[in-house]
Amino acid sequence: MAAMTRNTRNNSHGRFPGAFGPEEDDDLPKSKSQRKRDMTELQDLGAELEALAKDRLARVPMPESLSDAVLAARKITSHEGKRRQMQFVGKIMRSLDDDEVAAIRAALEGFKGTSKAETAKMHLMERWRDLLLADDAMLTKFLGEHPGIDVQSVRNIIRNARKEKELGKPPKYYRELFQAIKAALESDDDGDESAASDTPKEPEA
């Protein structure tokens, strides 16, 4: 009977490992390596803020002390001076609470998403330009998707762009064609969503 009791006690630990161990404490202090990773991450966020365009930096929610420190860093030209100022920026970042850091991170991620969309749209316009210069049939397709443009004007631009390329002249009309495509896409009723999804394909031979 004693042996059975011992077996039962042992089996209960085997079937439910850790069931009788101490509960995990979420408030345990972070390890030295984790603290170092957190500090590096906050320092990197500070560097991203310093590298932002001025208008975007103004839209990031942050305490005035951090904003002043970042703006001061942007004005410093010496390497050592900027390094010390960015260390100060990192120090302020480490003093922020989790909600403040999360707000800054969300703003930066939003800018990255916007940049990706802008890059995709630019590639789409470059793609249309190449197709329009290569094949007259693509103009019909383009007009069907963006009927609000001045047809005759675009025809003239395409013809002049081809001619200047043949003669090796500066790409004046080549650039004008890009601007005409950009205007057509921006005025399209479907907006950026259409521009992002309507990727043109090469016509079948």
Side-chain angles (χ1 to χ4, degrees):
M1 184 68 179
M4 184 179 297
T5 303
R6 284 196 300 271
N7 289 338
T8 303
R9 187 182 300 118
N10 290 337
N11 287 340
S12 67
H13 284 276
R15 290 175 59 195
F16 304 102
F20 300 98
E23 294 183 1
E24 293 186 3
D25 187 352
D26 293 335
D27 296 327
L28 287 175
K30 293 182 180 180
S31 65
K32 184 177 180 181
S33 59
Q34 183 60 51
R35 289 198 304 271
K36 186 175 181 180
R37 284 194 295 270
D38 291 345
M39 289 172 60
T40 300
E41 184 179 352
L42 291 173
Q43 196 77 40
D44 291 344
L45 281 178
E48 287 189 52
L49 291 175
E50 193 272 337
L52 280 179
K54 190 174 181 179
D55 62 325
R56 288 190 168 183
L57 182 63
R59 301 205 302 271
V60 177
M62 70 180 88
E64 186 176 351
S65 58
L66 178 58
S67 177
D68 291 344
V70 171
L71 290 173
R74 292 162 67 94
K75 297 176 182 178
I76 298 174
T77 56
S78 71
H79 176 77
E80 181 59 23
K82 175 157 291 200
R83 185 188 69 81
R84 288 197 303 267
Q85 183 63 21
M86 289 309 297
Q87 285 182 334
F88 179 60
V89 169
K91 181 179 180 180
I92 297 176
M93 291 289 299
R94 293 192 293 276
S95 72
L96 303 181
D97 60 39
D98 291 343
D99 289 341
E100 290 173 319
V101 173
I104 292 173
R105 198 191 310 277
L108 291 173
E109 288 301 320
F111 293 148
K112 291 175 185 177
T114 300
S115 296
K116 288 180 181 178
E118 290 172 349
T119 299
K121 188 172 182 178
M122 184 182 71
H123 288 166
L124 176 62
M125 291 186 285
E126 291 173 344
R127 176 71 171 155
W128 267 122
R129 177 170 60 184
D130 291 342
L131 292 174
L132 290 172
L133 289 174
D135 189 345
D136 288 336
M138 293 308 297
L139 179 57
T140 302
K141 177 176 175 62
F142 186 78
L143 294 173
E145 297 182 10
H146 309 282
I149 66 173
D150 185 333
V151 180
Q152 190 57 47
S153 175
V154 173
R155 287 187 192 277
N156 290 337
I157 294 173
I158 291 173
R159 181 171 60 251
N160 289 329
R162 288 171 178 169
K163 186 180 297 184
E164 70 185 6
K165 183 178 181 181
E166 291 174 3
L167 299 177
K169 292 184 176 182
K172 173 185 175 183
Y173 290 101
Y174 184 76
R175 295 193 186 100
E176 282 192 19
L177 180 57
F178 182 87
Q179 294 301 320
I181 295 168
K182 180 181 178 182
L185 266 61
E186 289 179 347
S187 64
D188 189 76
D189 291 338
D190 293 333
D192 291 344
E193 183 177 347
S194 173
S197 61
D198 248 349
T199 306
K201 299 179 181 180
E202 289 280 5
E204 296 181 1

